[in-house]
């Protein structure tokens, strides 16, 4: 931890990539490195929102808990992603909770440091707004998915979301590795774990996929895409 290159890590993030070395050094002074073990809370609903976070390693989930105690996963973040930027500008306590899904290393970026940089550097402000806009776009896509697609279509869409990056050109098969447990992915898609498993096995029975723990082997990308359009 003593040798962690914090300015270098900040420079690798899209939010901070335009900053000059002296600006990165100044921003790093307002950061704190947090090492979490699986299950540790990053923050809870109602706690003061004094920072946002960059994920250096591991995975973190944002979630809500209903009055009945049911958990809804809002988003899952892995290495290279940031979260809670928009919440920081509300000037209110956190409106949801964040928890480490695995052992994780996070960079806590203080609100005071961010606000100071915004006042002195319009470039940083534009990068921050772009990041928040991308998050908003994903949330709109989620709302559209939940409103217009059934559970089968949402699950297939999730499996195919990165197929262009995973499958080689001209190849009609690929493997998708679920980043977290099936129950967590199900919550992220607003599905029950039972329905999630049932649909996976339905796709397997139709020889569209093969399931090996968290590895989902897509046997026919085109056929799976067509199956979801029914």
């Amino acid at each position: 931890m003593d040798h962690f290159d914090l300015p270098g890590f900040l420079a690798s993030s899209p939010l901070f990539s335009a900053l000059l070395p002296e600006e990165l050094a100044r921003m790093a002074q307002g950061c704190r490195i947090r090492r979490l073990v699986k299950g540790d809370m990053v923050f809870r609903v109602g706690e003061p929102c004094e920072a946002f976070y960059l994920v250096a390693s591991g995975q973190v989930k944002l979630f809500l808990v209903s009055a009945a105690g049911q958990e809804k996963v809002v988003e899952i973040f892995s290495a290279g992603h940031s979260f809670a930027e928009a919440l920081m500008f509300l000037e209110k306590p956190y409106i949801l909770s964040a928890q480490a899904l695995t052992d994780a290393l996070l960079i806590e970026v203080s609100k005071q440091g961010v606000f100071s940089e915004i006042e002195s550097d319009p470039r940083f402000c534009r990068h921050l707004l772009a990041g928040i806009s991308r998050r908003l776009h994903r949330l709109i896509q989620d709302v559209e998915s939940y409103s217009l697609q059934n559970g089968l279509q949402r699950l297939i869409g999730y499996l195919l979301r990165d197929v262009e990056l995973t499958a080689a050109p001209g190849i009609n098969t690929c493997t998708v590795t679920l980043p977290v447990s099936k129950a967590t992915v199900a919550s992220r898609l607003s599905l029950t774990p039972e329905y999630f498993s049932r649909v996976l096995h339905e796709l397997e029975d139709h020889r569209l996929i093969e399931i090996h723990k968290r590895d989902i082997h897509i046997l026919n990308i085109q056929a799976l895409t067509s199956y979801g359009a029914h």
Side-chain angles (χ1 to χ4, degrees), residues 22-216:
E22 59 269 25
E23 295 169 330
L24 290 168
R26 185 169 63 243
M27 180 61 67
Q29 292 177 354
C31 295
R32 181 165 71 100
I33 300 173
R34 292 183 58 181
R35 184 177 293 278
L36 306 175
V37 299
K38 180 180 179 180
D40 281 352
M41 297 299 297
V42 184
F43 53 76
R44 290 180 170 85
V45 170
E47 292 181 349
C49 182
E50 299 295 340
F52 79 93
Y53 296 85
L54 301 170
V55 184
S57 65
Q59 294 173 326
V60 173
K61 67 176 178 180
L62 289 184
F63 68 98
L64 299 165
V65 178
S66 70
Q70 185 176 7
E71 180 182 295
K72 162 59 182 170
V73 177
V74 177
E75 188 59 276
I76 300 169
F77 299 97
S78 55
H81 292 89
S82 59
F83 62 94
E85 306 99 302
L87 300 178
M88 188 177 59
F89 289 97
L90 293 176
E91 298 289 348
K92 295 180 179 179
Y94 287 112
I95 58 176
L96 36 66
S97 300
Q99 184 181 31
L101 287 170
T102 65
D103 292 351
L105 184 67
L106 304 183
I107 308 303
E108 182 181 279
V109 186
S110 73
K111 179 170 69 175
Q112 181 179 1
V114 170
F115 283 14
S116 296
E117 202 61 40
I118 287 175
E119 292 177 358
S120 62
D121 190 349
R123 296 170 303 161
F124 175 67
C125 187
R126 287 195 296 270
H127 279 266
L128 196 60
L129 286 173
I132 293 174
S133 297
R134 286 192 295 271
R135 189 73 39 75
L136 177 61
H137 181 64
R138 284 199 297 271
L139 288 174
I140 292 173
Q141 289 178 319
D142 285 346
V143 172
E144 180 183 28
S145 171
Y146 302 151
S147 302
L148 302 179
Q149 295 181 342
N150 59 37
L152 170 67
Q153 291 169 330
R154 295 204 295 274
L155 193 155
I156 290 176
Y158 178 84
L159 293 178
L160 296 174
R161 71 197 189 286
D162 293 327
V163 71
E164 292 183 359
L165 301 176
T166 307
I171 302 299
N172 199 33
T173 64
C174 68
T175 298
V176 175
T177 300
L178 300 181
V180 291
S181 69
K182 293 183 178 69
T184 301
V185 176
S187 178
R188 174 69 181 83
L189 298 175
S190 290
L191 305 173
T192 65
E194 296 77 14
Y195 181 85
F196 184 87
S197 294
R198 187 165 68 249
V199 172
L200 280 181
H201 289 298
E202 174 186 334
L203 298 177
E204 190 171 42
D205 290 341
H206 283 77
R207 300 296 302 158
L208 296 171
I209 65 172
E210 286 182 351
I211 305 170
H212 297 283
K213 296 184 178 180
R214 288 189 182 180
D215 289 335
I216 310 297

